[in-house]
Amino acid sequence: MPPFRSGIHFLQIPGPTNVPERVLRAIDRATIDHRGPGFAALTLEIQSLLRPVFGTKGPVVIYPASGTGAWEAALVNTLSPGDRVLMAETGQFAALWSALAKRLGLQVEIIAGDWRHGADPEAIEAALGADPQHAIKAVAIVHNETSTGVTSRVADVRAAIDRSGHPALFLVDTISSLASIDYRHDEWGVDVTVGGSQKGLMLPPGLAFNAVSERALAASKHARLPRAYWAWDEMLAANRDGFFPYTPATNLLYGLLEALHMLHEETLPAVFARHARHAEAARRAVGGWGLEILAVDPREYSNTLTAILVPEGIDADRLRGLILEHFDLSLGTGLGKVKGRVFRIGHLGSFNDLMLAGTLCGVQMGLDLAGVTHGDGVGAALAYLAAPSASPVLAAV
Ligand SMILES: *Cc1c(COP(=O)(O)O)cnc(C)c1O
């Protein structure tokens, strides 16, 4: 048996995130008949509140699945066996998506990366420019690379695709940015946006999303990769009347409706500003500690998580272990190439100043325990959070 832990566990990994009480209470209701009359109203209200979160007026498919399912759905609905897909290796999640694409029989062309930068618009433009026959059928990138804390500039990638005059579809994974960082499916000409429930949407794991453009829908009529569970056509046909072709995750949908009400009560611009402010405070803490973050380009700093490099000779996972053991705080591990070299602080979803302050205190005490020489990062973060210019409350009065 693990030791008894008093008080609240700090779940500061970059997803799953802390599920707010309002969402937990909403889920805690009797499951209803998903073919009965009450269900359609639930689906239709969710649809109308969910679309603005993606920045789309078009359909958003909701699967009972983890985010990985929505990755697969985006590919199998739009592509055919042997199609070429251009992907940017921004980190572990981009690498996993490209591995999944290969397993499906797609030819993946990877633009290599150093895991410290986002998808490079110029490199994408060059790769598309070198394909005058238009053999590349899709460009697929991760908006916010959860393994590195780097946010790709989706609008700039869109502009690069447009400059090349290439007709490839544009697929974007927003699993760790949706409902946290500004995102505009329609305006940025994204064809399929992939989302998941357990990060910015403040829900438990178990729902996954595809926002679908008209071009993507048209491509799905001719795409020949086999698909059944993930097929958009049956889903969209049933959704029109508020139903699903198979049993949906009813209780997670109750939670989704409540989470959407919360996001719209706060308003999306305020949600994005809150995430930006907490991310800035976290980076000031890292600076105060005298440590370095993985992201190098300030235009690409993530507002949902910060990946921090530990000094040479320190094992980031040992540090995380000490912090969990002593302070009941879970931090994100280094994934793939950066295992042991970084730890990640998630500051997304249902979150506020004192949760961030507590998290940063836990890290700073952990640095002491691990014998890492450091400055007062907590002080730097608190000074920022308390400054009138950075306070949303003081700015409003
Ligand atoms: C969490 C995450 C995923 C994986 O989602 P699962 O729900 O674990 O399948 C994919 N991409 C990104 C960017 C993520 O952050």
Side-chain angles (χ1 to χ4, degrees):
M1 277 247 297
F4 177 78
R5 301 283 203 182
S6 172
I8 293 170
H9 172 69
F10 271 63
L11 180 68
Q12 295 317 135
I13 59 176
T17 63
N18 295 287
V19 180
E21 283 297 319
R22 275 177 62 175
V23 170
L24 290 172
R25 295 292 80 83
I27 291 170
D28 181 12
R29 279 166 49 203
T31 305
I32 57 169
D33 174 6
H34 61 283
R35 311 228 186 257
F39 200 87
L42 171 69
T43 309
L44 296 174
E45 189 179 2
I46 285 174
Q47 286 290 347
S48 71
L49 296 173
L50 185 57
R51 286 175 185 168
V53 174
F54 283 86
T56 186
K57 295 197 174 352
V60 180
V61 174
I62 306 172
Y63 296 107
S66 90
T68 302
W71 269 347
E72 178 160 337
L75 299 171
V76 296
N77 277 288
T78 54
L79 299 168
S80 298
D83 275 357
R84 282 169 64 191
V85 181
L86 184 65
M87 294 178 123
E89 185 213 353
T90 48
Q92 179 73 357
F93 288 95
L96 288 173
W97 197 10
S98 64
L100 182 148
K102 283 181 202 156
R103 284 185 167 206
L104 293 173
L106 296 165
Q107 284 188 61
V108 181
E109 205 166 299
I110 292 175
I111 299 174
D114 65 358
W115 289 41
R116 301 193 73 167
H117 291 85
D120 178 357
E122 278 72 43
I124 289 170
E125 186 177 354
L128 294 177
D131 175 38
Q133 306 300 325
H134 300 163
I136 295 171
K137 299 301 177 197
V139 175
I141 66 167
V142 173
H143 180 208
N144 185 73
E145 191 30 273
T146 321
S147 62
T148 62
V150 173
T151 305
S152 285
R153 291 168 286 135
V154 176
D156 291 353
V157 173
R158 173 76 256 171
I161 298 171
D162 289 346
R163 276 195 305 275
S164 73
H166 197 291
L169 293 169
F170 189 24
L171 317 180
V172 181
D173 168 351
T174 64
I175 295 176
S176 66
S177 51
L178 190 75
S180 309
I181 299 172
D182 189 17
Y183 184 78
R184 307 172 189 200
H185 175 90
D186 288 355
E187 188 182 323
W188 295 343
V190 179
D191 292 298
V192 188
T193 296
V194 171
S197 57
Q198 74 272 31
K199 298 179 187 180
L201 284 175
M202 309 181 286
L203 292 162
L207 294 179
F209 308 92
N210 275 178
V212 178
S213 76
E214 280 180 21
R215 282 189 73 218
L217 214 48
S220 75
K221 310 280 185 237
H222 310 286
R224 285 178 289 102
L225 278 174
R227 57 186 182 274
Y229 186 80
W230 306 116
W232 288 339
D233 51 0
E234 285 185 14
M235 188 63 104
L236 293 174
N239 280 178
R240 265 191 281 282
D241 303 318
F243 295 100
F244 287 81
Y246 42 74
T247 316
T250 305
N251 290 60
L252 287 176
L253 294 178
Y254 295 156
L256 175 58
L257 180 60
E258 187 65 19
L260 291 168
H261 281 308
M262 290 173 69
L263 290 167
H264 290 298
E265 276 172 39
E266 185 176 0
T267 78
L268 289 172
V271 170
F272 302 149
R274 168 166 60 80
H275 282 82
R277 179 167 169 275
H278 287 147
E280 176 63 25
R283 288 190 294 270
R284 288 187 186 219
V286 177
W289 290 324
L291 299 177
E292 191 187 344
I293 66 169
L294 207 49
V296 290
D297 184 339
R299 294 175 302 173
E300 297 179 337
Y301 288 167
S302 171
N303 285 343
T304 59
L305 76 133
T306 302
I308 302 159
L309 282 157
V310 293
E312 219 51 67
I314 299 289
D315 176 357
D317 284 330
R318 180 169 168 271
L319 172 67
R320 287 176 50 254
L322 286 169
I323 291 169
L324 177 61
E325 183 190 339
H326 288 261
F327 309 116
D328 202 19
L329 161 62
S330 290
L331 298 166
T333 186
L335 294 169
K337 272 190 199 174
V338 292
K339 177 137 196 74
R341 296 283 302 122
V342 309
F343 66 97
R344 297 169 299 145
I345 301 175
H347 32 74
L348 73 164
S350 176
F351 200 55
N352 64 25
D353 288 11
L354 293 187
M355 292 164 86
L356 178 63
T359 300
L360 297 174
C361 287
V363 174
Q364 186 157 315
M365 292 187 288
L367 293 173
D368 286 332
L369 289 172
V372 177
T373 320
H374 64 84
D376 182 16
V378 168
L382 298 191
Y384 171 75
L385 290 175
S389 59
S391 162
V393 178
L394 294 174
V397 292

